[in-house]
């Protein structure tokens, strides 16, 4: 498919609390001829594949009016420090991959991508998010891991129409000391990753996330978990490794036995389907 400009690719194995490192951008930029050919091809295929091309800026043709029908844009592992305002013209875009760049901010026009379903911003230098991100009412996957969004985000940053669509949110490694309250208003969230932050507590309101199945809060400074969180009716995977939490106190918490039963059912289902790799039998990753 010609998904990247360089021939080299890497793959890694994800572990709770330790996402795989993003690949580095090549030192030598790809020729303008190759870039222009890829941009021209994207107008026919709907896929703009410019991964690992050494880009410091988007090629002009990538945001031309005839690029409005693009469905996927992959700009992973380049040298981008900023994005132009006219990326809002990607009105048909469903998948935007921007991981492994040097972005410090995002344009407000991001909120115009009304068809967007997956937004990957891992491994940048983001210090803030535009409030318009809450207008992305079709986004299911939002990856913000390994940025600089701490110590806190605006309370309503994940509110708006986004709260009715978001299913997976990754905030790993952002130096967060507290969570925005809008996380607790998500209607479809099934996976929440908060590992490697500076959290000393989790809001009890997370217990209202009725569809939450997976919560990774490893490598924080948590001393306890609110009982409503443990009692989340769908929660079957909880990672707390690297926190000063008393395992026995956690096990004695009301609702924990029910959590263990859901966990057992999940593991049994994986074993039955022969999809189990390495299984950590420690309770929530705690010793």
């Amino acid at each position: 498919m010609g998904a990247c400009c360089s021939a080299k690719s890497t793959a890694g194995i994800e572990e709770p609390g330790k996402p795989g490192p993003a690949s580095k951008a090549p030192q030598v930029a790809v020729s303008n001829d190759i870039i222009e050919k890829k941009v021209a091809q994207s107008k026919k295929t709907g896929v703009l594949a410019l991964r690992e091309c050494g880009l410091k800026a988007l090629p002009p043709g990538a945001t031309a009016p005839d690029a409005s029908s693009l469905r996927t844009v992959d700009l992973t592992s380049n040298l981008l420090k900023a994005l132009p305002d006219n990326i809002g013209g990607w009105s048909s875009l469903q998948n935007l991959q921007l991981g492994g760049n040097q972005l410090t901010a995002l344009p407000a026009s991001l909120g115009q991508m009304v068809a967007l379903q997956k937004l990957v911003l891992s491994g940048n230098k983001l210090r803030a998010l535009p409030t318009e991100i809450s207008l992305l009412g079709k986004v299911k996957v939002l990856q913000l891991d390994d940025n600089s969004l701490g110590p806190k985000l605006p309370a309503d940053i994940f509110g708006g129409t986004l709260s009715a669509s978001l299913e997976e949110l990754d905030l790993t490694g952002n130096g967060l000391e507290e969570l925005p309250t809008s996380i607790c208003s998500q209607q479809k969230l099934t996976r929440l990753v908060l590992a490697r932050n500076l959290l000393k507590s989790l809001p009890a309101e997370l217990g209202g996330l009725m569809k939450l199945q997976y919560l990774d809060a490893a490598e924080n400074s948590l001393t306890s978990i609110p009982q409503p969180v443990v009692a989340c009716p769908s929660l079957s995977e909880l990672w707390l490794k690297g926190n000063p939490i008393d395992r026995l106190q956690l096990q004695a918490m009301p609702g924990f036995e029910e959590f263990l039963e859901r966990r057992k059912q999940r593991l049994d289902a994986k074993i039955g389907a022969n999809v189990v790799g390495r299984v950590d039998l420690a309770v929530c990753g705690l010793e």
Side-chain angles (χ1 to χ4, degrees), residues 66-125:
D66 59 352
S68 61
S69 61
L70 288 173
R71 299 185 309 276
T72 293
V73 172
D74 188 352
L75 298 166
T76 304
S77 298
N78 281 288
L79 302 169
L80 300 172
K81 294 183 178 181
L83 298 172
D85 288 336
N86 58 356
I87 63 168
W90 290 338
S91 56
S92 299
L93 199 65
Q94 299 176 18
N95 183 4
L96 178 55
Q97 305 270 344
L98 289 163
N101 280 279
Q102 300 174 19
L103 300 171
T104 58
L106 301 170
S109 58
L110 183 73
Q112 298 172 22
M113 297 182 188
V114 294
L116 198 62
Q117 297 181 26
K118 183 174 183 178
L119 177 56
V120 178
L121 291 158
S122 311
N124 279 280
K125 299 178 180 180

Side-chain angles (χ1 to χ4, degrees), residues 16-17 192-196 199-202 206 214-226 229-230 235 237-251 253 256 259-260 263 280 282-287:
L192 178 58
V193 187
L194 305 170
R196 291 193 287 108
L199 300 170
K200 294 182 179 180
S201 64
L202 296 178
L206 285 178
Y214 180 104
L215 174 58
D216 183 357
E219 307 296 341
N220 278 279
S221 299
L222 303 172
T223 57
S224 64
I225 299 296
V229 174
V230 173
L235 189 67
E237 196 161 358
L238 175 61
W239 294 99
L240 299 170
K241 183 179 181 179
N243 287 286
I245 293 176
D246 187 300
R247 178 173 59 85
L248 296 179
Q249 280 190 337
L250 179 66
Q251 289 177 298
M253 182 177 293
F256 195 79
F259 161 75
L260 289 180
R263 177 177 180 266
D280 187 346
V283 177
C284 303
L286 298 172
E287 297 298 332

Side-chain angles (χ1 to χ4, degrees), residues 260-271:
L260 289 180
E261 179 58 30
R262 294 191 298 272
R263 177 177 180 266
K264 179 180 181 299
Q265 291 176 3
R266 174 181 59 81
L267 291 174
D268 287 348
K270 283 191 172 184
I271 292 171

